[in-house]
């Protein structure tokens, strides 16, 4: 194997490692975004529950709670993958 062949092989290996690193970094970014979204949903859920307990619930409080809980479950399932 000549020097040029070794250099090509090394460059190929470095390129593959870089792609793996980018993919791993993107997964972390996606996880952080999903966790942030879950936090926002829980905050929204808390606001609705507080309104219910305070006696001023939104018109469709139960439907909104069900929607938010469903979205949280989906997001948590995505994180578990």
């Amino acid at each position: 194997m000549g020097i040029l062949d070794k250099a090509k092989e090394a460059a190929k290996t470095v390129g593959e490692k870089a792609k793996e690193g980018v993919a791993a970094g993107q997964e972390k970014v996606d996880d952080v975004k999903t966790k942030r979204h879950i936090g926002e949903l829980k905050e929204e859920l808390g606001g609705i529950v507080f309104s219910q307990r305070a006696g001023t619930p939104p018109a469709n409080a139960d439907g909104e709670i069900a929607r938010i809980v469903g979205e949280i479950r989906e997001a948590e399932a995505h994180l578990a993958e």
Side-chain angles (χ1 to χ4, degrees), residues 5-15:
D5 292 332
K6 288 181 183 180
K8 285 181 184 179
E9 188 63 33
K12 182 179 176 183
T13 302
V14 169

Side-chain angles (χ1 to χ4, degrees), residues 63-81:
E64 283 298 298
I65 289 171
R67 177 191 62 81
I68 293 169
V69 168
E71 285 187 37
I72 292 171
R73 286 184 177 157
E74 286 179 19
E76 288 176 340
H78 175 72
L79 284 177
E81 293 176 348

